Amino acid sequence: MGTTSASPPETDGAVETRGIEPVPDHERHGRVRELFPTWVAANISVLLLTMGASLVVNNGLNFWQVLLVAAIAAAVAFGMVGVLSVSGKWGGAPGAMLSRAAFGVRGNYFPGAILWVARFGWETINAVTGAYAVLTVLHLLLGIESNNVLVVVTLLAFVAVTYLVSGLGRKALNVCNKYSTYLFGLFSIMVLVYLVATMDWDAIFAKKAGTTAMVIAGVGTIAAGGISWVPTGPDFARYLPHSASGRKIVGTTVSGAALVLLPMVLMGGVMAVSNPKLAGQNTDPMSFLGTILPSWLAVPYLITALVGMVLINSLSMYSAGFTAQTMGVKLPRALAVSINAVISLVGGLFMMLVAKDFIGQFIAFLTLLAVSFSAWIGVYGVDMARRRKLAVRYDADSLMNTGRTSRYWYTGGFCWQAMTAWAVALGAGLCFTKVQWFTGPLATTWIGENGLGWAATITIAALVFAVLPAPRESAPAAGDGEAAEARESVTAA
């Protein structure tokens, strides 16, 4: 039988001591504005330049279509991040933990395992990108050519720094995110000014528009990275008080992400007009900056982007520690992160030393990532909507209790309605998916051809869960809040 664990107090030191335990009300001192630099930092990735270039070269889009794709992708993906982040202030717990209320204390292991594995892949991609950035800087500054030993050293250094920052926890991440936002913003403006002054704008604006189908497919590709952050959203909102505005949470999340995502994708598209090979850097996605930008600008820009990529991976590993604990790993959060660090190091070495098509594998991974996360999103979103409508509060004791006395035990520890919706949607989403090494039986349909498998997955999961009989939670645990308090905490969104 599971047990109920009290929430240890959060220390004022540099290292966050709390793991998956819900944050009590008296420690909810966070502010919504703290989310802004978090979601800015979550998008500081030079890979967005390559993806923007791909929209021009592979999808055949023009300047205005690239801008439209980036805007829609940011609004859709990070709109979902913001909406589901609201559950973090309702329950004061990470998304992987609150998910127990939807799937059941045992049922949550199944989507949790897939989210955890997907997180491994995301961190591996980021680690490889960061290592390539270091190698590019060394080449531009010192003329050092890459070799296998240098690859191992740079990747190990990147993962080690990431592990250190993520292990420190929320406070350290907030400080790093804040100053990296200022630094990266400064150099991004310098790059924009340089591009405005040197690009052939007549050629850029003369490019013919691509098809609507390619625009839709482009939205899916760019949005996939943002969708991967949706289960993470509650992790960064759990220190917000119940009185925090849900609308402000959504607005701050979207605006923070869009501030970086839009110009990065657009810059990549602009660069691709003068150098179409930008979208074809299959083995090293960073070296193109040395040919597009002068060294005096490329080097500091890469260094600031490198800091951003460390923070992206740190944010991901921070949440991965919670997922590991939710999956039953009996380690403090800071040590649980080490599992992801080791796996990303091993996976990164494979991609850099063995695999030959980095960008192709990256796009394939993003596609599968979006589908795997989308099935969870559809179920979790409906569960949130029901809690808001009925003013049903997350019960902290039951979230920590994995035994039969938990109100989230349902039937044998499984919420069969949620599990059914999740499994059906995940299977359907894979049927619509086509990547380099996998083609689903429905990949040639309109949904599959337009890259909308992720959207179909969310819709199917939500519809199936909504039409099935509503799950019945067990009786509230002793000491659960009064109805008035519950209504206040849930409907404050």
Side-chain angles (χ1 to χ4, degrees), residues 14 37 42 85 88 100 139 160 163 196 208 256 268 278-279 281 291 326 331 346 352 366 385 388 419 465 476:
S85 292
R100 284 179 176 174
H139 176 71
Y163 172 69
V196 168
K208 295 182 180 180
L278 170 58
Q281 299 287 334
T291 60
T326 305
L331 290 173
V346 174
M352 297 185 75
L366 276 184
R388 178 185 174 89
M419 295 299 296
F465 191 40

Side-chain angles (χ1 to χ4, degrees), residues 128 132 146 148 151 279-285 347-362 436:
V128 170
Y132 275 129
S146 175
N148 289 349
V151 165
Q281 299 287 334
N282 290 334
T283 56
D284 182 352
L349 290 173
F350 173 80
M351 291 193 68
M352 297 185 75
L353 299 178
V354 180
K356 300 299 182 182
D357 184 9
F358 175 81
I359 296 301
Q361 295 296 329
F362 172 62
Q436 286 184 341

Side-chain angles (χ1 to χ4, degrees), residues 140 194 275 281 287-294 298:
L140 293 175
Y194 178 83
N275 187 358
Q281 299 287 334
S287 60
F288 72 88
L289 282 175
T291 60
I292 296 291
L293 302 175

Side-chain angles (χ1 to χ4, degrees), residues 384-393 470-471 483 486-487 490-491:
M384 271 188 68
R386 286 172 172 166
R387 292 180 186 282
R388 178 185 174 89
K389 180 179 180 180
L390 302 175
V392 178
R393 185 180 183 179
R487 182 172 297 278
V490 177
T491 60

Side-chain angles (χ1 to χ4, degrees), residues 382 386 416-417 420-421 459-471:
V382 171
R386 286 172 172 166
W416 68 266
Q417 297 94 329
T420 299
T459 303
I460 292 170
L463 287 177
V464 173
F465 191 40
V467 300
L468 289 174

Side-chain angles (χ1 to χ4, degrees), residues 7-8 10 16 18-30 84-99 170 232-242 249 318 322 380 393-397 399-400 408 489-490:
S7 175
E10 166 78 346
E16 181 182 1
R18 176 172 286 106
I20 56 177
E21 305 86 3
V23 182
D25 291 352
H26 67 274
E27 292 186 29
R28 304 280 200 92
H29 304 306
L84 270 67
S85 292
V86 175
S87 65
K89 70 138 181 171
W90 288 355
M97 189 67 168
L98 297 174
S99 184
R170 182 183 65 93
T232 302
D235 304 6
F236 303 107
R238 66 192 186 122
Y239 283 94
L240 297 178
H242 293 306
I249 291 174
Y318 174 76
F322 297 135
Y380 192 90
R393 185 180 183 179
Y394 290 104
D395 178 45
D397 289 338
L399 286 173
M400 293 297 297
Y408 306 126
S489 66
V490 177

Side-chain angles (χ1 to χ4, degrees), residues 328-373:
V329 174
K330 303 298 183 182
L331 290 173
R333 181 198 57 79
L335 293 179
V337 171
S338 63
I339 299 175
N340 287 60
V342 171
I343 292 176
S344 64
L345 177 61
V346 174
L349 290 173
F350 173 80
M351 291 193 68
M352 297 185 75
L353 299 178
V354 180
K356 300 299 182 182
D357 184 9
F358 175 81
I359 296 301
Q361 295 296 329
F362 172 62
I363 297 299
F365 169 74
L366 276 184
T367 303
L368 293 174
L369 185 78
V371 172
S372 63
F373 279 56

Side-chain angles (χ1 to χ4, degrees), residues 42-385:
N43 287 275
I44 301 177
S45 173
V46 181
L47 281 175
L48 285 174
L49 295 176
T50 305
M51 294 170 70
S54 178
L55 294 177
V56 172
V57 177
N58 298 331
N59 291 47
L61 306 185
N62 65 14
F63 178 90
W64 301 112
Q65 288 176 316
V66 171
L67 179 60
L68 178 65
V69 164
I72 294 175
V76 171
F78 286 93
M80 289 190 289
V81 173
V83 171
L84 270 67
S85 292
V86 175
S87 65
K89 70 138 181 171
W90 288 355
M97 189 67 168
L98 297 174
S99 184
R100 284 179 176 174
F103 291 92
V105 293
R106 287 181 174 174
N108 194 47
Y109 287 129
F110 289 85
I114 289 184
L115 296 183
W116 198 17
V117 170
R119 191 65 66 193
F120 294 153
W122 185 239
E123 289 155 6
T124 299
I125 293 290
N126 287 332
V128 170
T129 306
Y132 275 129
V134 175
L135 293 172
T136 301
V137 170
L138 291 176
H139 176 71
L140 293 175
L141 278 181
L142 305 174
I144 299 176
E145 297 294 337
S146 175
N147 57 66
N148 289 349
V149 174
L150 199 56
V151 165
V152 174
V153 172
T154 54
L155 185 63
L156 180 61
F158 183 88
V159 172
V161 173
T162 299
Y163 172 69
L164 175 63
V165 176
S166 62
L168 290 174
R170 182 183 65 93
K171 293 179 182 178
L173 285 171
N174 284 345
V175 172
C176 293
N177 291 341
K178 176 181 178 180
Y179 289 103
S180 69
T181 296
Y182 296 147
L183 191 62
F184 187 75
L186 172 64
F187 283 103
S188 292
I189 291 173
M190 293 175 64
V191 171
L192 281 171
V193 171
Y194 178 83
L195 292 178
V196 168
T198 59
M199 291 291 105
D200 184 355
W201 289 98
D202 289 337
I204 291 171
F205 289 118
K207 183 173 175 56
K208 295 182 180 180
T211 64
T212 301
M214 287 295 97
V215 171
I216 296 173
V219 170
T221 300
I222 304 300
I227 290 172
S228 71
W229 289 107
V230 176
T232 302
D235 304 6
F236 303 107
R238 66 192 186 122
Y239 283 94
L240 297 178
H242 293 306
S243 59
S245 168
R247 288 187 178 89
K248 287 184 178 179
I249 291 174
V250 177
T252 302
T253 300
V254 173
S255 59
L259 182 67
V260 178
L261 193 150
L262 262 68
M264 291 282 284
V265 171
L266 197 58
M267 282 193 294
V270 169
M271 290 177 179
V273 174
S274 62
N275 187 358
K277 294 182 180 179
L278 170 58
Q281 299 287 334
N282 290 334
T283 56
D284 182 352
M286 298 294 104
S287 60
F288 72 88
L289 282 175
T291 60
I292 296 291
L293 302 175
S295 295
W296 62 266
L297 183 56
V299 170
Y301 185 65
L302 266 174
I303 292 175
T304 56
L306 178 61
V307 173
M309 285 181 278
V310 167
L311 291 174
I312 289 175
N313 236 22
S314 297
L315 292 169
S316 181
M317 283 193 181
Y318 174 76
S319 291
F322 297 135
T323 305
Q325 290 181 317
T326 305
M327 295 298 294
V329 174
K330 303 298 183 182
L331 290 173
R333 181 198 57 79
L335 293 179
V337 171
S338 63
I339 299 175
N340 287 60
V342 171
I343 292 176
S344 64
L345 177 61
V346 174
L349 290 173
F350 173 80
M351 291 193 68
M352 297 185 75
L353 299 178
V354 180
K356 300 299 182 182
D357 184 9
F358 175 81
I359 296 301
Q361 295 296 329
F362 172 62
I363 297 299
F365 169 74
L366 276 184
T367 303
L368 293 174
L369 185 78
V371 172
S372 63
F373 279 56
S374 294
W376 181 91
I377 291 169
V379 173
Y380 192 90
V382 171
D383 181 73
M384 271 188 68

